[in-house]
Amino acid sequence: MNRSTKASASGREALARAENSRGLVLVHGGAGTNAFELQEAAVAGTRRAAALGLARLVELGDSEDACVEAVIAAVRSLEDDPAFNAGRGACMTALGEFEVDAGIMRSRDRQTGAVASVRELANACELARAVMERSDHALLVGDGAQRFGEACGVGRFGRELLWTDKAQQRFEQARSGQTPIDNRADTVGAIAMDRRGHLCALGSTGGVLFKLPGRVGDTPLIGAGFYADATLGAALGTGVGEAIMGRVGCYELLRRAASGVGVQAAAEQLCQEIHRDTGAAVGFIAVGRDGTVGMAHCSAHMSWALAREGHEITGALTVDP
Ligand code: GLY
């Protein structure tokens, strides 16, 4: 497989229009393979999430942490939407269970929060935020993360909250060897820039289909799956985490962008390099300090949407031709 990086013509135009602006929410619904019957749902879901995030951003005006509230609103919507591999709709482990990961970072003080390998958690984004705001730690895992959530009253737990017929079918297909399980990763995420120019990046995932219990991907790992600071900007990774982690993908993307190439070219370069070296499906979204927006993927599909104050929402499922 040697797929080229994708950023459709309409996507590029939309991204270019977002340059040098403030008050925006950029959302993705995962780099991977979207089943045909879910493609429309993926586009609608990412657009809805971007709209919800922007509405929250506008509602909060120039209040502190408007960007945090905006990404939570967007990612909550994606987690609650069964079309995506996060929250309700998450994929199963090799034991047919659910273990989810999420990570958040805000630029104004570089605070981060993440949770990993948490069983049967429907809204991992909320628990990651609680780790950032209500603990002295940056990453909590497994039972400890669940106990923290229960102590804080954050997070809804229960297999029935995550289970979907889609996930059950994919698990059965993987177990019987009917479908390859490679490159069946995706993730959801959102980056917001608020009116103060602060950035926040948040990703959430069910991980990769048929993963070993206890496996953790890039999504809850700072620098690999998510990053935001006031100097470099913000980025999120999606796709097969093992391929992204070795490159510390998000930090590497932003470091390259800041060296002069910009976030779009840096995202394209990094996707191509990772895909060339590993063959894995990967993707990134990024927002530079100046509000420049970038998106690239090397995968069959990636859904995304951009909502910016004063502009119509744009979004698409970009496809490997
Ligand atoms: N990017 C999601 C994962 O690898 O878990």
Side-chain angles (χ1 to χ4, degrees):
M1 187 169 59
N2 186 23
R3 292 183 171 126
S4 59
T5 300
K6 299 300 159 207
S8 68
S10 62
R12 283 179 189 280
E13 286 159 21
L15 300 181
R17 280 200 299 276
E19 289 190 2
N20 305 318
S21 66
R22 291 198 165 165
L24 64 86
V25 179
L26 178 64
V27 163
H28 77 81
T33 304
N34 287 77
F36 177 75
E37 65 275 14
L38 289 176
Q39 292 179 6
E40 274 185 30
V43 175
T46 48
R47 293 176 76 104
R48 184 165 50 245
L52 287 166
L54 186 66
R56 189 76 178 122
L57 201 70
V58 169
E59 182 188 335
L60 291 169
D62 62 0
S63 59
E64 189 164 85
D65 284 343
C67 57
V68 176
E69 297 287 351
V71 295
I72 289 285
V75 173
R76 269 294 297 250
S77 170
L78 295 165
E79 287 179 336
D80 291 344
D81 187 331
F84 300 103
N85 174 21
R88 193 159 76 93
C91 65
M92 293 179 178
T93 70
L95 295 182
E97 296 173 339
F98 296 101
E99 294 180 356
V100 302
D101 309 327
I104 186 169
M105 183 167 183
R106 64 187 181 205
S107 66
R108 71 175 171 84
D109 55 4
R110 287 195 168 94
Q111 283 294 301
T112 67
V115 293
S117 206
V118 188
R119 269 183 257 170
E120 298 178 351
L121 169 62
N123 292 109
C125 70
E126 302 273 16
L127 195 52
R129 180 189 190 176
V131 172
M132 177 173 77
E133 295 180 343
R134 298 164 70 173
S135 85
D136 294 330
H137 307 301
L139 170 62
L140 294 178
V141 304
D143 292 346
Q146 179 165 351
R147 280 198 290 275
F148 173 73
E150 287 167 350
C152 294
V154 173
R156 296 174 300 136
F157 295 86
R159 182 176 174 83
E160 72 285 359
L161 299 175
L162 287 87
W163 188 91
T164 55
D165 189 48
K166 169 196 82 171
Q168 188 70 46
Q169 281 180 22
R170 288 186 182 172
F171 169 73
E172 302 296 349
Q173 287 166 355
R175 186 164 61 172
S176 66
Q178 282 174 39
T179 55
I181 55 175
D182 304 358
N183 290 349
R184 283 253 177 169
D186 52 86
T187 308
V188 303
I191 297 171
M193 174 178 269
D194 62 28
R195 289 175 179 173
R196 292 181 177 215
H198 292 152
L199 288 155
C200 187
L202 168 60
S204 177
T205 188
V208 291
L209 174 62
F210 221 66
K211 64 187 178 184
L212 289 178
R215 177 266 186 192
V216 173
D218 61 305
T219 304
L221 301 185
I222 182 172
F226 67 106
Y227 192 78
D229 78 22
T231 307
L232 295 176
L236 287 170
T238 171
V240 179
E242 284 77 359
I244 296 169
M245 287 148 73
R247 296 292 191 117
V248 196
C250 288
Y251 189 76
E252 173 65 10
L253 187 163
L254 293 169
R255 195 192 58 76
R256 288 188 192 193
S259 75
V261 299
V263 287
Q264 180 62 37
E268 291 181 8
Q269 282 174 11
L270 191 61
C271 275
Q272 286 168 346
E273 288 176 19
I274 294 175
H275 186 67
R276 181 196 64 210
D277 293 347
T278 67
V282 292
F284 292 95
I285 62 170
V287 179
R289 277 303 310 137
D290 59 355
T292 309
V293 177
M295 184 279 287
H297 67 107
C298 288
S299 61
H301 307 126
M302 181 162 161
S303 54
W304 61 273
L306 172 65
R308 186 163 69 93
E309 285 187 82
H311 292 259
E312 294 206 352
I313 293 173
T314 50
L317 182 88
T318 49
V319 180
D320 203 9

